[in-house]
């Protein structure tokens, strides 16, 4: 499937704001304001906001952060060497077509391409059972139930695959 991840820019503001109105996107992340204008204008070495395109058509958003370097310390006291991912497909018609799986496959490879990255963490709402199943299929394991602000989340984690021996 020709899915390409590219850097999100300020040109994507209308798209991202439009996707923010989607009921499933809202209910998966009801208490966060992404402050798109500031975030997309700011170049930082701890975040990589990405747009997924299918044959050149934007279909989803994926954000990779370094929880150790992220200034608000959303993830709390964490060691270096982690990455955290947020993802959504913008339109209901594009869900369930395998796009999210392919986006995650590419994002996971991107994270582990750096030798210092040991694991990837994810924090779906504990109530988002379909998303949890989606991450489980990708190899993420549940770690703990944790409250982030108003949100009751399930922290999930994917360890760096061990190099094949022999
Ligand atoms: C979760 C999500 C990124 C998965 O991407 P996708 O392209 O739909 O997923 P795929 O087609 O590769 O895989 C299908 C699986 O995704 C999950 N999924 C599909 N639609 C979903 C939805 N509306 N909400 C949550 N998960 C969904 C299910 O596990 C589904 O498997 P199932 O049909 O056996 O239930 C996408 O559905 C989405 O953006 N959902 C709404 C927002 C959201 O929940 N984001 C995750 C926040 S942690």
């Amino acid at each position: 499937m020709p899915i390409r991840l590219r850097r999100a820019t300020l040109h994507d503001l209308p798209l991202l704001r439009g996707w923010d109105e989607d009921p499933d996107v809202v209910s998966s992340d009801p208490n966060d304001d992404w402050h798109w204008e500031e975030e997309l204008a700011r170049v930082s070495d701890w975040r990589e906001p990405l747009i997924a395109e299918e044959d050149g058509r934007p279909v989803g958003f994926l954000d990779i952060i370094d929880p150790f370097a992220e200034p608000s310390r959303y993830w709390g006291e964490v060691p270096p060497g982690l990455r955290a991912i947020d993802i959504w497909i913008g339109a209901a018609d594009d869900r369930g077509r395998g796009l999210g799986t392919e986006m995650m496959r590419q994002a996971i490879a991107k994270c582990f391409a750096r030798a210092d990255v040991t694991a990837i963490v994810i924090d779906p709402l504990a109530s988002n059972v379909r998303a949890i199943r989606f991450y489980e299929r990708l190899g993420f394991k549940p770690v703990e139930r944790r409250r982030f602000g108003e949100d009751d989340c399930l922290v999930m984690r994917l360890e760096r695959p061990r190099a094949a021996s022999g």
Side-chain angles (χ1 to χ4, degrees):
M1 195 186 308
I3 288 287
R4 189 174 75 98
L5 296 181
R6 62 148 174 92
R7 184 78 187 214
T9 72
L10 278 170
H11 295 293
D12 299 308
L13 265 179
L15 183 70
L16 289 162
R17 288 199 174 124
W19 290 346
D20 279 350
E21 306 295 315
D22 178 90
D24 278 13
V25 172
V26 173
S27 64
S28 73
D29 189 15
N31 299 307
D32 273 351
D33 182 340
W34 280 68
H35 302 287
W36 290 118
E37 221 147 327
E38 292 158 51
E39 293 301 336
L40 295 180
R42 177 164 63 174
V43 177
S44 59
D45 53 5
W46 52 266
R47 154 168 278 160
E48 212 177 345
L50 299 163
I51 296 285
E53 293 185 345
E54 182 187 28
D55 287 329
R57 180 179 68 97
V59 291
F61 176 75
L62 192 149
D63 198 33
I64 303 175
I65 68 153
D66 175 350
F68 179 75
E70 186 267 315
S72 84
R73 302 309 295 267
Y74 172 87
W75 283 87
E77 290 305 312
V78 291
L82 295 178
R83 290 293 180 271
I85 295 180
D86 276 299
I87 178 175
W88 57 87
I89 304 289
D93 283 356
D94 284 322
R95 295 188 194 122
R97 299 178 46 228
L99 300 176
T101 300
E102 177 58 18
M103 285 167 67
M104 285 297 292
R105 202 189 58 73
Q106 292 187 23
I108 290 166
K110 202 176 184 44
C111 292
F112 288 136
R114 282 192 55 138
D116 60 337
V117 173
T118 55
I120 303 171
V121 289
I122 296 256
D123 63 338
L125 289 177
S127 58
N128 196 349
V129 290
R130 293 192 73 190
I132 290 168
R133 199 162 59 220
F134 168 76
Y135 296 129
E136 276 172 343
R137 271 192 223 115
L138 286 158
F140 285 81
K141 303 267 187 275
V143 175
E144 60 169 342
R145 193 88 172 241
R146 181 166 163 193
R147 189 163 272 278
F148 290 92
E150 302 283 293
D151 296 336
D152 177 18
C153 296
L154 179 70
V155 173
M156 302 181 79
R157 183 173 169 119
L158 179 71
E159 300 297 332
R160 178 185 196 84
R162 278 198 255 163
S165 56

